[in-house]
Amino acid sequence: MKVQIFFLSGILLLALPVITIAQAGKEITTVKVDMHRDSVSNYKVPQKSTTYGTVTVEGKRINYEAVAGTLVLKNKEDSPTVSMSYIAYFKNDDKGSDQRPITFIYNGGPGSSTIWLHMGAWGPQRVYLTDTSRTKAPYKTVNNDYSLLDASDLVFIDAPGTGFGKLITKKMGGAGDPKDFYGIDEDGDAFASFINKFISDYGRWNSPKYLFGESYGTFRSAVVANLLQGRYRISLNGVILLSQLLTYENMSDEAKAHPGNDLPYILALPSFAATAWYHHKLPNQPAQLEPFLKEVEHFAMNEYTLALNKGALLDSTSFNEIADKLHDFTGLPLTYIRKANLRVNGPQFEQTLLGTDNEITGRLDARFSGDAVDPLSEYAQYDPMDSYIDGAFAATFNNYVRSQLKFGDGMDYKVYGDVGPWDFRRRKGSGTYANVMPDLANAMIYNPGLKVMLNMGYFDLGTPYFESEYEMHHLPMPISLQKNIEYDLYFSGHMVYLHPESLKQLHDNVARFISTTH
């Protein structure tokens, strides 16, 4: 694929009168604040603000309760280690609320908060964007016609070190240490512990439960699903993945770090082709994208794979034939393809496709483009998509959480946390380096009824869709469990929901998935 609080001494229950807020393009929202505050900057005590509002989802009005706050995790010695921030939305319904589906949602990074899925996809308010066009301040939010609240209660979780949360170190009277949270297994432990505590605190043990992760969040979901079911005996109904990554060795960005492994070049090719099609850079532009990609996929897994597997033994005639095909499928110059020895990685492609115009494509969403920092560079040096959306998301979330959810005054919200160095090693017996395919497979073996949904964008160069499909097809589990996996593709990029039509499709697909798996 992103603190100071001022309190009265002791505990203050702040009850504000009912307020009516109306903004252009939004639902009228009734807010009742019930916020518990502790002594100054005391992260060892959970914080909470409860408000009430409404959202209209595809024509249906939904009343909800919103809880913005922090949850404190402790170690085996009962010492606080980390405060993790979250925002939860519960549909107001007197009947069977403890049995309503609940979905735990998070972005990735690692080190990203969860404002993206919150303000872009599933929350009741959505940042107003015009797809791939730039927007300027003042930014605004609008009623989210495709909030997932119609299908499930929602819990948006910020990773340790991000959002309003904070590690509670020894200096702060706790036992938190970065090495206990900033790594594959450590991060998974924190999220599994958070979910276990949350469902106890809110009485949701009998609810159908779902995980929804994006980008590194899909990597996290594999670990968390395995931990929840194996360690905590928390059975999941579904794991929903958006822009999946289960092993870093298949990433196009990392291809040069793993010489001898040509899979990253093979699996990224269909996304290169989709991007070239979108920007009209193909020598022979097909009318339809999907039939064209089927042709590219077949070439990638057959002629291209065989050619790369031969390495230095590939004859010159075959080399030139493959280069010609790559030119036809990517629009890259033949001389460039030959110089790259038929192996072009993601950052090189992003820099080169629009190079004649001194522009680069986006990485996470290749529909976006921008001026190259250095037209002579080998690699793209930033992601144009980020430059389009970062300001709008950060501004609208910080305004929304404080003005409508009544939480965060005097606090700093970290969109991205300083979580380095991240430990990509696995614990003994947990699988290979930076590979969580065994974790997801184990979760599905342990619970044969667990359903998995994979959502992918055609124009995602960070986690190419063909790579995601390949990983799912190679999970180390009985083939009979493959029927539990669903695949959905969208005319968008990594953050599928940036494309309005794709957001509706994503909502309808995920809502259906939830309704049919409990």
Side-chain angles (χ1 to χ4, degrees), residues 77-295:
E77 288 72 40
D78 204 37
S79 296
T81 56
V82 67
S83 168
M84 291 175 65
S85 59
Y86 68 92
I87 297 175
Y89 296 95
F90 306 106
K91 180 182 177 183
N92 287 341
D93 189 345
D94 294 332
K95 296 182 179 179
S97 59
D98 63 334
Q99 297 180 25
R100 189 167 191 262
I102 188 166
T103 304
F104 297 94
I105 302 168
Y106 34 80
N107 281 98
S112 173
S113 66
T114 303
I115 69 169
W116 317 105
L117 284 167
H118 189 170
M119 301 303 294
W122 301 137
Q125 292 291 312
R126 179 171 62 85
V127 59
Y128 175 77
L129 297 171
T130 55
D131 199 11
T132 58
S133 299
R134 290 188 183 276
T135 54
K136 297 179 181 179
Y139 306 107
K140 64 178 181 179
T141 61
V142 295
N143 174 81
N144 187 2
D145 296 330
Y146 309 114
S147 170
L148 200 57
L149 258 173
D150 61 334
S152 171
D153 289 341
L154 311 172
V155 186
F156 297 90
I157 310 170
D158 293 318
T162 75
F164 290 120
K166 200 174 186 69
L167 298 192
I168 306 172
T169 63
K170 289 183 179 179
K171 290 183 178 179
M172 299 169 64
D177 191 301
K179 66 179 176 58
D180 295 328
F181 296 97
Y182 300 158
I184 294 174
D185 292 300
E186 296 79 5
D187 173 85
D189 284 340
F191 272 83
S193 180
F194 177 101
I195 292 170
N196 177 62
K197 183 170 175 55
F198 187 95
I199 63 176
S200 291
D201 289 352
Y202 285 89
R204 301 305 293 265
W205 279 94
N206 207 30
S207 296
K209 302 171 190 69
Y210 298 84
L211 304 180
F212 190 109
E214 177 185 329
S215 194
Y216 185 86
T218 66
F219 200 88
R220 175 185 294 133
S221 284
V223 178
V224 173
N226 197 30
L227 285 172
L228 286 176
Q229 298 189 149
R231 178 184 299 174
Y232 294 103
R233 298 301 188 263
I234 296 174
S235 181
L236 296 171
N237 289 66
V239 174
I240 306 166
L241 307 171
L242 175 61
S243 304
Q244 176 194 291
L245 169 70
L246 297 183
T247 172
Y248 275 71
E249 284 190 330
N250 288 340
M251 284 187 69
S252 176
D253 294 359
E254 298 289 319
K256 283 195 171 183
H258 304 284
N261 174 23
D262 287 320
L263 268 176
Y265 305 106
I266 295 164
L267 300 178
L269 183 60
S271 293
F272 291 174
T275 301
W277 179 89
Y278 181 86
H279 289 285
H280 298 276
K281 291 296 182 179
L282 296 171
N284 300 293
Q285 182 80 8
Q288 300 296 321
L289 177 62
E290 287 82 1
F292 169 61
L293 289 182
K294 291 300 179 185
E295 182 183 354

Side-chain angles (χ1 to χ4, degrees), residues 337-371:
I337 293 170
R338 290 171 179 154
K339 188 181 293 186
N341 194 28
L342 310 180
R343 295 164 175 84
V344 178
N345 64 30
Q348 291 169 333
F349 178 83
E350 295 149 26
Q351 174 78 13
T352 308
L353 180 68
L354 307 179
T356 55
D357 299 319
N358 290 339
E359 291 186 340
I360 61 173
T361 73
R363 171 179 175 264
L364 295 183
D365 193 330
R367 297 177 304 140
F368 291 80
S369 61
D371 293 328

